[in-house]
Amino acid sequence: MASKLMEQREDKFFADVLNYFEKAAKFVDMPEGILDQIKFCNSVYRIKYPIKTKDGFKVIEAYRVEHSHHKLPTKGGIRYSEHVNQDEVMALAALMTYKCAIVDVPFGGAKGGIKINPKDFSEDEMERITRRYTSELIKKNFIGPAIDVPAPDYGSGEREMAWIVDTYTTFNPTELNAAGCVTGKPISQGGISGRREATGLGVFYGVREALNHAEDAKKWGLKPGIKDKTVVVQGMGNVGYHTAKFFYEGGAKIIALAEYEGAIYNPKGLDPDAVLAYRQKNKTLLGFPGATDLKSTGEALELECDILIPAALENQIHSQNAKNIKAKIIGEAANGPVTPEAEVVLLKKGIYIIPDIYLNAGGVTVSYFEWLKNMSHVRFGRMTKRFDENMNHSLMESIESLTGKKFTKQQHTDLERGAEERDLVYSGLEETMINAYHQIREILHNTEGVNDLRTAAFVCAIRKVAVSYENLGIFP
Ligand code: NAD
């Protein structure tokens, strides 16, 4: 069903993004020329190249789209999926521009796509596909730490990013900042602690912040905070698994988890780690002990719950199932999981949609931190950790001698600790997600005619991008 819908909606995703843009642009006081410059994609690169597989030569179709050059480098993941098409990559590149603007990441938006099902290829073939894709990007100047910096997306991860950085470095041996040509790398290749879980953690921080506003929570019929909220997550990949894990650790109850083979449901709650381990062992999450199997991933989306997190692909909540959605909040962890037609229905039902262009920006935020680390050639915390620990120790000793009371050993350990790279990444991400939420909520509450958070987020993004074009003096 989902893939049929996806085919029908081919060539529509970018139009959807344009419609969101138009709806929001009415609230942005900027010359039309600037708005026109922002909304379309600046550069679209379509590539076809052959690779040798065990079954003979195969032609690979791939893309890289740079949507906006108002800030450089441009930034955006590479999707490996058989559904990749130019329209989808353009839409996702545009969303990246707005996403970066909302969370104040100083990059333009871009996206890449390779039209393959990774499951059809061996590791060796995947490596050749990825390395050749990288060389094609190098040939046309579509990659580089100052030009365009890819990252993981659906179907790709640290392994692919390691191949990309290695290929780029081989072609550019004297480039001092070569490691910054891609983010989401393994730590050993210049990656950063916390990137792997960043998108899921950002989703958690974003939904938690929404629920921290007691008056808003009351409107949705909920108590403030995450504790005891019932949550359904679709997709147990990078984003879905980590989102589920942070909600679980935050005290929420994960009542259902869905994958493409079906879904499992347990009103008492599921432990995402146990489910993931079970799925890795059994190649399915169906049959998980203590849970009820649901026939399809779609059934899970329609469950009664407080928070629904679609974290798989676009177009999962559409005109046909929107009326059946019973969640109070939808947190768009995936890109484009709710179609515009569905959104109209959901908003009428009073469901609060936290949009993708804000909510899944944790990945690009931490990618930005990784890029900064690559530019500065030093691990975050390396210069300060020991100094902070010594200062904290002296402070605690002074308090002890002044008060005559002793801290416990555990208190010493907890309070003296200097920040590791991961601590700094988490706190930088938390600060970013909270600030950005306040900005878009402010627009929602204080702009007449803006009635939903997606429009507010687009208004926020367009204003910021427009201002930087204005400041560039392109449109005197
Ligand atoms: P992933 O490949 O790691 O995981 C996706 C998971 O969804 C897979 O386990 C897949 O089997 C499952 N899935 C596919 N179709 C499904 C269906 N119909 N029902 C249920 N499950 C299904 O990908 P990811 O990196 O987690 O990305 C997921 C979404 O989040 C995408 O929309 C992506 O663009 C978006 N996103 C990812 C990042 C990131 O940092 N990885 C950042 C921002 C946004």
Side-chain angles (χ1 to χ4, degrees):
M1 174 69 160
S3 67
K4 193 155 170 251
L5 271 162
M6 231 171 272
E7 276 157 33
Q8 284 166 1
R9 290 176 51 81
E10 205 165 289
D11 296 336
K12 194 173 172 304
F13 194 5
F14 186 61
D16 290 346
V17 177
L18 286 182
N19 284 337
Y20 291 137
F21 182 96
E22 298 291 353
K23 190 175 169 192
K26 285 189 271 180
F27 304 99
V28 179
D29 186 19
M30 279 284 166
E32 208 168 301
I34 291 188
L35 297 174
D36 283 345
Q37 170 59 32
I38 297 170
K39 66 182 172 191
F40 299 113
C41 293
N42 284 4
S43 321
V44 180
Y45 182 27
R46 176 165 173 255
I47 322 157
K48 289 213 177 197
Y49 57 85
I51 66 135
K52 206 172 171 185
T53 71
K54 54 187 180 315
D55 308 317
F57 281 101
K58 282 215 170 116
V59 177
I60 304 295
E61 181 180 326
Y63 299 86
R64 186 74 190 168
V65 172
E66 292 170 359
H67 171 260
S68 176
H69 293 133
H70 71 290
K71 286 189 195 288
L72 287 172
T74 50
K75 186 100 195 63
I78 305 173
R79 178 170 288 199
Y80 289 54
S81 156
E82 55 203 335
H83 299 295
V84 160
N85 60 72
Q86 186 174 319
D87 179 79
E88 179 189 73
V89 186
M90 284 167 56
L92 293 167
L95 290 178
M96 281 306 298
T97 294
Y98 308 128
K99 200 174 292 186
C100 289
I102 289 167
V103 290
D104 293 325
V105 165
F107 295 148
K111 200 77 182 188
I114 305 183
K115 191 177 172 63
I116 56 162
N117 183 348
K119 292 195 185 92
D120 295 342
F121 295 91
S122 66
E123 183 166 8
D124 189 45
E125 289 163 351
M126 285 296 290
E127 181 168 353
R128 263 178 286 141
I129 291 169
T130 306
R131 285 187 183 275
R132 177 66 189 260
Y133 176 74
T134 311
S135 349
E136 296 292 335
L137 297 185
I138 294 169
K139 273 201 252 175
K140 297 282 185 204
N141 229 5
F142 265 78
I143 185 170
I147 300 168
D148 187 356
V149 182
D153 190 67
Y154 185 90
S156 62
E158 287 176 23
R159 182 185 69 165
E160 287 72 20
M161 303 307 117
W163 292 329
I164 292 172
V165 70
D166 187 55
T167 310
Y168 184 84
T169 315
T170 309
F171 277 90
N172 298 279
T174 56
E175 161 93 62
L176 182 65
N177 294 323
C181 75
V182 68
T183 57
K185 304 175 291 284
I187 308 273
S188 59
Q189 308 271 118
I192 192 168
S193 307
R195 173 61 184 88
R196 195 179 292 166
E197 64 270 37
T199 307
L201 183 57
V203 171
F204 171 74
Y205 286 147
V207 177
R208 189 190 66 183
E209 193 51 30
L211 275 163
N212 277 347
H213 290 84
E215 68 278 29
D216 294 352
K218 201 171 160 199
K219 264 192 282 175
W220 311 320
L222 293 169
K223 284 198 186 127
I226 288 292
K227 203 167 174 329
D228 295 329
K229 296 289 176 302
T230 53
V231 182
V232 173
V233 180
Q234 182 202 37
M236 278 290 277
N238 176 308
V239 178
Y241 160 69
H242 286 110
T243 301
K245 187 173 155 63
F246 286 113
F247 272 98
Y248 177 78
E249 288 170 359
K253 213 187 270 180
I254 311 295
I255 58 163
L257 290 166
E259 255 296 332
Y260 65 86
E261 70 269 17
I264 52 171
Y265 169 68
N266 186 343
K268 290 196 193 125
L270 297 157
D271 173 354
D273 277 321
V275 176
L276 190 72
Y278 177 88
R279 185 167 189 255
Q280 274 161 357
K281 187 165 167 236
N282 299 286
K283 309 287 173 236
T284 173
L285 41 73
L286 299 177
F288 182 74
T292 309
D293 289 346
L294 304 180
K295 274 195 286 314
S296 69
T297 179
E299 241 181 277
L301 299 176
E302 296 177 12
L303 286 169
E304 188 103 38
C305 65
D306 297 326
I307 304 162
L308 171 61
I309 307 280
L313 276 176
E314 55 263 27
N315 304 331
Q316 298 302 304
I317 303 172
H318 41 77
S319 54
Q320 286 144 56
N321 64 1
K323 60 181 180 307
N324 304 329
I325 303 294
K326 297 172 200 77
K328 298 191 171 78
I329 295 175
I330 296 178
E332 291 189 332
N335 283 310
V338 174
T339 68
E341 296 79 7
E343 183 165 63
V344 173
V345 178
L346 299 169
L347 292 175
K348 265 196 201 138
K349 285 167 69 130
I351 297 174
Y352 191 64
I353 303 173
I354 310 182
D356 48 6
I357 51 164
Y358 158 67
L359 196 64
N360 68 28
V364 75
T365 302
V366 176
S367 275
Y368 169 48
F369 299 159
E370 179 176 332
W371 181 82
L372 289 175
K373 175 184 181 181
N374 296 149
M375 295 303 108
S376 58
H377 300 265
V378 65
R379 189 184 74 240
F380 288 111
R382 177 169 173 180
M383 307 291 281
T384 49
K385 182 172 184 287
R386 183 71 50 157
F387 179 80
D388 287 345
E389 281 174 0
N390 291 340
M391 288 296 284
N392 292 344
H393 183 71
S394 308
L395 189 67
M396 291 186 78
E397 278 190 339
S398 304
I399 295 171
E400 282 177 339
S401 74
L402 282 171
T403 60
K405 289 184 182 155
K406 289 271 173 215
F407 288 107
T408 65
K409 215 171 161 193
Q410 191 58 47
Q411 283 170 326
H412 269 285
T413 311
D414 292 345
L415 297 172
E416 284 174 13
R417 199 172 73 86
E420 303 273 0
E421 183 168 79
R422 187 178 300 270
D423 301 316
L424 296 167
V425 165
Y426 277 28
S427 77
L429 176 60
E430 186 174 12
E431 170 74 3
T432 302
M433 293 306 292
I434 292 174
N435 272 346
Y437 186 76
H438 288 178
Q439 287 178 28
I440 59 176
R441 182 179 178 275
E442 221 271 324
I443 293 172
L444 174 65
H445 285 251
N446 295 316
T447 316
E448 212 183 312
V450 173
N451 299 319
D452 61 278
L453 199 64
R454 190 186 314 279
T455 306
F458 267 88
V459 170
C460 173
I462 297 168
R463 276 182 189 156
K464 288 185 187 175
V465 179
V467 163
S468 57
Y469 269 118
E470 224 189 10
N471 292 345
L472 283 175
I474 289 171
F475 296 92

